[in-house]
Amino acid sequence: MHISANDENNPTALAPVRIPVVKNILSANAQTAQQNREYLTEHRITTLNLMSSPGAGKTTLLLATIAALDGLARIGVIEGDVASQVDAETIAATGTPVVQINTGGGCHLDAPMIGNALGALEAEVDLLFVENVGNLICPVSFDLGERYRVALLSAPEGHDKPYKYPGIFEAVDLVIVTKVDLAPYVDFDLEKFRELVHGLNADAPVLALSAKTGEGMEAWLDWLAAHVETLSAL
Ligand code: MG
Ligand code: ZN
């Protein structure tokens, strides 16, 4: 059987058909992200998109932050998970308004999901934390309309991760090393990690903290005070 250059089994012939589809998906997300950004600006809500691997301690840091800022800011949380609402229940137990997004297998949040969650958030808030799906790869490619992007890396994951996942470290406004109380036991080299991050992103501060022991929490709260409108007015 003769196979022509236009045959659909020929990958070269398929490529021009697929490229416009990818472009359309990204621009639809960017459009909704812009609408989210306008809504958040109008309502004076400072939004942080927290990204990390599963188990890096995003929820634990949120709980410590909520406790530390009690009475100083009206905090809201959007929880992104593939399934379950265990983190959302833990946050809700503190009395903080929370909306759960279950992606049903999806490995990142996108702007339309955040748009829907903003509509479902019933309380007025000044500071909104979005806990993204645990994944160091694709969440950073999706603009949610947030003001700040934050990457968390726990000490046990290793100081070499900027070599392996440069995309996230290049794109964020702040990097937080969590579980730093474990650093001595897992040979996490904080200075080496800082050097690698700054090689990719000279502007992002690198904070190191333990939400469990409280070590380093002060610098994180200072960063929030300097970047969140409501807190800086105090
Ligand atoms: Mg969590
Ligand atoms: Zn993904």
Side-chain angles (χ1 to χ4, degrees), residues 100-154:
Q100 175 76 54
I101 299 172
N102 280 144
T103 61
C107 47
H108 58 264
L109 296 178
D110 63 26
M113 293 176 194
I114 297 302
N116 292 337
L118 289 173
L121 191 67
E122 283 164 353
E124 282 194 19
V125 303
D126 316 300
L127 173 55
L128 177 63
F129 291 104
V130 176
E131 183 176 335
N132 216 311
V133 179
N135 173 354
L136 286 178
I137 305 165
C138 55
V140 76
S141 305
F142 289 81
D143 184 4
L144 306 179
E146 74 277 51
R147 179 68 184 81
Y148 298 108
R149 302 171 134 199
V150 182
L152 289 81
L153 183 96
S154 64

Side-chain angles (χ1 to χ4, degrees), residues 55 57-60 79-81 87 131-132:
K58 296 184 293 298
T59 309
T60 305
E79 279 288 337
D81 287 290
D87 286 351
E131 183 176 335
N132 216 311

Side-chain angles (χ1 to χ4, degrees), residues 46-50 65 69 127 129 147-151 172-176 203-207 209 216-229 231-232:
T46 305
T47 305
L48 280 74
N49 177 8
L50 307 184
T65 306
L69 295 180
L127 173 55
F129 291 104
R147 179 68 184 81
Y148 298 108
R149 302 171 134 199
V150 182
V172 294
D173 302 292
L174 174 67
V175 177
I176 300 177
D203 299 327
V206 177
L207 305 180
L209 58 79
M217 281 295 291
E218 202 63 36
W220 158 237
L221 297 171
D222 286 348
W223 188 94
L224 285 173
H227 293 82
V228 178
E229 198 183 350
L231 292 174
S232 55

Side-chain angles (χ1 to χ4, degrees), residues 152-176:
L152 289 81
L153 183 96
S154 64
E157 292 172 75
H159 56 256
D160 60 343
K161 289 303 166 289
Y163 283 130
K164 300 186 179 182
Y165 304 98
I168 185 169
F169 295 102
E170 278 165 4
V172 294
D173 302 292
L174 174 67
V175 177
I176 300 177

Side-chain angles (χ1 to χ4, degrees), residues 11-201:
T12 316
L14 277 178
V17 180
R18 290 196 171 193
I19 290 166
V21 176
V22 172
K23 278 187 181 166
N24 286 342
I25 290 168
L26 289 180
S27 76
N29 188 76
Q31 274 178 26
T32 310
Q34 187 52 32
Q35 289 166 9
N36 291 347
R37 205 180 313 282
E38 283 164 14
Y39 176 91
L40 293 165
T41 305
E42 196 179 307
H43 290 79
R44 296 170 150 259
I45 301 171
T46 305
T47 305
L48 280 74
N49 177 8
L50 307 184
M51 294 173 284
S52 77
S53 303
K58 296 184 293 298
T59 309
T60 305
L61 178 59
L62 282 180
L63 290 170
T65 306
I66 287 165
L69 295 180
D70 185 33
L72 300 176
R74 297 174 299 174
I75 297 177
V77 175
I78 295 175
E79 279 288 337
D81 287 290
V82 168
S84 90
Q85 50 183 46
V86 290
D87 286 351
E89 284 166 4
T90 310
I91 299 287
T94 67
T96 303
V98 55
V99 177
Q100 175 76 54
I101 299 172
N102 280 144
T103 61
C107 47
H108 58 264
L109 296 178
D110 63 26
M113 293 176 194
I114 297 302
N116 292 337
L118 289 173
L121 191 67
E122 283 164 353
E124 282 194 19
V125 303
D126 316 300
L127 173 55
L128 177 63
F129 291 104
V130 176
E131 183 176 335
N132 216 311
V133 179
N135 173 354
L136 286 178
I137 305 165
C138 55
V140 76
S141 305
F142 289 81
D143 184 4
L144 306 179
E146 74 277 51
R147 179 68 184 81
Y148 298 108
R149 302 171 134 199
V150 182
L152 289 81
L153 183 96
S154 64
E157 292 172 75
H159 56 256
D160 60 343
K161 289 303 166 289
Y163 283 130
K164 300 186 179 182
Y165 304 98
I168 185 169
F169 295 102
E170 278 165 4
V172 294
D173 302 292
L174 174 67
V175 177
I176 300 177
V177 177
T178 57
K179 308 187 191 182
V180 77
D181 52 313
L182 299 179
Y185 307 103
V186 294
D187 295 328
F188 184 90
D189 184 337
L190 182 58
E191 283 323 302
K192 181 67 186 167
F193 178 73
R194 260 188 234 278
E195 199 180 292
L196 293 177
V197 170
H198 287 148
L200 296 165
N201 183 344

